[in-house]
């Protein structure tokens, strides 16, 4: 593995907008571009050329999507190899956050080395996902402690993070948290943010995390392994959530939800129909909100009508997926990262 990794983010301005278009995928071609003995649940495009990732055993790295060249490194904390389940970025920095105790949040430092900017210790510490509104303000979410979800926020570009008091957050249910399955418990559009929990609740803030409200959804959430595993929003109104129970992966009742009013109300969709449990959902870019792809260790499924009906495209398992454009995506899972071309 390379000893040093320097992330150089040079976001390109696209001179013309892409048009929305009708899509109807029937196949997906899958090419593995990175294999290792790690579990990878966190990937993120830094720009249209670079995919960043982080996983188990302290492993993190980047993929040049033009050449498929992979660079990797290992981040240690003392003698510990952290398990990373969340990554995010600004225009100038890359961030990665570990699960479990202690929670360790790193950002790009000098000379390509990662710098520890937040550490939290304590029984029950477990962080699940992270995302930025802009280059100054970001959020990470973890399991509940002291009666509310653990939410930390930065307002200075990730140089420091502060944990929100339970006084400003809705009361959590007993044992409520989020699933660190795909780094998609959080979705941001403009100043708004939605956070999905294991109890089937969606927490919402319209002002970058300064005030909060909670909306209970009808998704399955009675057991510890049930709830919302992943959410995505196409715009500020249209959102989709998916989950189920990973211990009952073929069960397909009450595991898919949709909102068309920005999360004020959610309804079940394709109830009792395929797919069953999935860990990540993403809207297909430029599909007018009709195209949706979802992945899990059970395979890849696709809908071209906002989730009303689905078809399986592959039995190959992944934990998480991100689209590079409206037909190419990258997915990660157990021991690998792959390039997916939808046709």
């Amino acid at each position: 593995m390379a000893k040093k990794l320097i992330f150089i983010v040079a976001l390109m301005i696209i001179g013309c907008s892409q048009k929305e278009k009708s899509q109807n995928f029937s196949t997906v071609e899958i090419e593995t571009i990175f294999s290792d003995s790690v579990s990878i649940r966190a990937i993120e495009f830094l720009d249209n050329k670079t995919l960043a990732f982080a996983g188990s055993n302290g492993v993190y790295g980047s993929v040049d999507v033009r050449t498929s060249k992979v660079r990797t490194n290992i981040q240690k904390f003392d003698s510990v190899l952290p398990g990373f389940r969340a990554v995010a970025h600004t225009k100038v920095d890359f961030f990665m956050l570990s699960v479990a105790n202690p929670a360790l949040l790193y950002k790009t430092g000098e000379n390509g080395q990662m710098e520890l900017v937040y550490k939290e210790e304590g029984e029950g510490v477990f962080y699940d996902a992270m995302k930025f509104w802009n280059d100054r303000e970001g959020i990470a979410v973890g399991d509940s402690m002291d009666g509310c979800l653990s939410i930390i926020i930065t307002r200075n570009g990730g140089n420091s993070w502060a944990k929100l008091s339970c006084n400003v957050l809705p009361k959590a249910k007993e044992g409520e948290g989020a699933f660190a399955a795909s780094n998609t418990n959080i979705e941001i559009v403009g100043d708004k943010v939605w956070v999905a929990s294991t109890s089937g609740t969606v927490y919402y803030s319209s002002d970058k995390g300064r005030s909060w409200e909670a909306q209970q959804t009808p998704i399955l959430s009675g057991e510890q392994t049930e709830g919302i595993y992943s959410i995505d929003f196409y715009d500020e109104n249209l959102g989709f959530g998916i989950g189920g129970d990973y211990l009952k992966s073929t069960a397909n009742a009450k595991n898919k939800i949709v909102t068309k009013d920005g999360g004020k109300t959610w309804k079940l969709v394709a109830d009792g129909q395929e797919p069953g449990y999935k860990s990540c959902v993403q809207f297909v870019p430029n599909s007018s909100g009709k195209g949706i792809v979802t992945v899990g260790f059970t395979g890849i499924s696709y809908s071209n009508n906002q989730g009303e009906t689905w078809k399986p495209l592959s039995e190959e398992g992944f934990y998480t997926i991100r689209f590079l454009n409206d037909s190419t995506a990258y997915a990660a899972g157990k021991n690998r990262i792959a390039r997916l071309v939808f046709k």
Side-chain angles (χ1 to χ4, degrees):
M1 290 186 177
K3 293 183 178 180
K4 294 184 179 180
L5 174 66
I6 301 176
F7 288 102
I8 302 175
V9 182
L11 297 177
M12 298 179 67
I13 299 175
I14 306 301
C16 57
S17 61
Q18 292 179 309
K19 294 182 179 180
E20 305 281 289
K21 58 186 179 182
S22 176
Q23 294 161 316
N24 189 20
F25 299 143
S26 58
T27 62
V28 58
E29 296 178 356
I30 301 172
E31 177 188 5
T32 297
I33 59 172
F34 174 67
S35 296
D36 203 343
S37 58
V38 295
S39 171
I40 302 172
R41 298 175 185 267
I43 57 175
E44 193 75 24
F45 282 105
L46 304 183
D47 53 30
N48 62 356
K49 298 177 291 186
T50 308
L51 178 78
F53 65 90
S56 60
N57 299 326
V59 174
Y60 68 101
S62 67
V63 179
D64 186 326
V65 300
R66 300 163 301 177
T67 64
S68 294
K69 182 178 180 179
V70 181
R71 294 182 176 182
T72 62
N73 203 345
I74 295 178
Q75 182 66 51
K76 287 186 177 181
F77 177 74
D78 294 332
S79 60
V80 175
L81 293 174
F84 294 108
R85 300 280 187 95
V87 298
H89 73 94
T90 62
K91 288 182 180 179
V92 295
D93 283 307
F94 169 70
F95 298 81
M96 56 190 188
L97 176 61
S98 71
V99 292
N101 180 22
L104 305 167
L105 202 167
Y106 291 89
K107 69 179 285 291
T108 313
E110 298 298 322
N111 301 318
Q113 301 301 309
M114 300 301 288
E115 173 188 354
L116 184 65
V117 291
Y118 181 80
K119 176 184 174 185
E120 184 177 338
E121 296 179 287
E123 185 179 353
V125 170
F126 199 98
Y127 279 88
D128 307 287
M130 176 172 52
K131 200 152 192 175
F132 277 79
W133 284 281
N134 52 50
D135 288 338
R136 301 290 295 172
E137 297 167 294
I139 180 175
V141 62
D143 292 356
S144 62
M145 296 177 66
D146 303 319
C148 68
L149 286 185
S150 297
I151 293 181
I152 59 174
I153 287 182
T154 181
R155 307 284 184 194
N156 61 4
N159 291 313
S160 62
W161 297 72
K163 191 170 185 177
L164 295 184
S165 166
C166 285
N167 293 332
V168 300
L169 288 167
K171 181 177 176 58
K173 297 178 182 178
E174 183 69 26
E176 185 176 7
F179 290 109
S182 63
N183 193 35
T184 49
N185 307 113
I186 303 171
E187 177 60 347
I188 284 175
V189 178
D191 293 346
K192 301 177 179 180
V193 61
W194 297 264
V195 174
S197 84
T198 58
S199 70
T201 302
V202 174
Y203 292 80
Y204 169 72
S205 173
S206 62
D207 53 8
K208 299 179 183 175
R210 292 179 173 86
S211 63
W212 293 85
E213 58 188 73
Q215 175 67 47
Q216 184 62 40
T217 77
I219 205 164
L220 189 72
S221 60
E223 302 294 333
Q224 288 186 340
T225 51
E226 299 171 349
I228 307 172
Y229 279 73
S230 175
I231 57 170
D232 192 29
F233 273 73
Y234 190 76
D235 53 34
E236 64 178 13
N237 293 312
L238 178 61
F240 200 91
I242 200 160
D245 186 340
Y246 78 88
L247 294 179
K248 303 173 184 175
S249 59
T250 60
N252 53 31
K254 298 176 66 176
N255 74 317
K256 300 170 286 290
I257 52 174
V258 65
T259 180
K260 298 182 180 180
D261 56 12
K264 296 182 179 67
T265 59
W266 296 81
K267 71 172 186 177
L268 295 170
V269 64
D271 193 21
Q273 303 176 38
E274 295 299 323
Y277 164 79
K278 299 292 181 184
S279 59
C280 187
V281 63
Q282 294 285 281
F283 280 98
V284 179
N286 307 312
S287 66
S288 300
K290 296 184 181 298
I292 307 174
V293 169
T294 187
V295 304
F297 66 80
T298 54
I300 304 168
S301 295
Y302 166 71
S303 171
N304 67 352
N305 54 13
Q306 288 184 2
E308 293 290 339
T309 59
W310 296 79
K311 58 184 176 182
L313 296 184
S314 173
E315 294 183 353
E316 291 198 40
F318 296 97
Y319 299 142
T320 190
I321 184 172
R322 297 294 186 279
F323 275 89
L324 176 63
N325 53 46
D326 52 26
S327 61
T328 302
Y330 282 72
K334 185 178 180 180
N335 303 336
R336 66 170 175 161
I337 298 173
R339 181 174 184 263
L340 280 57
V341 178
F342 294 88
K343 296 182 177 181

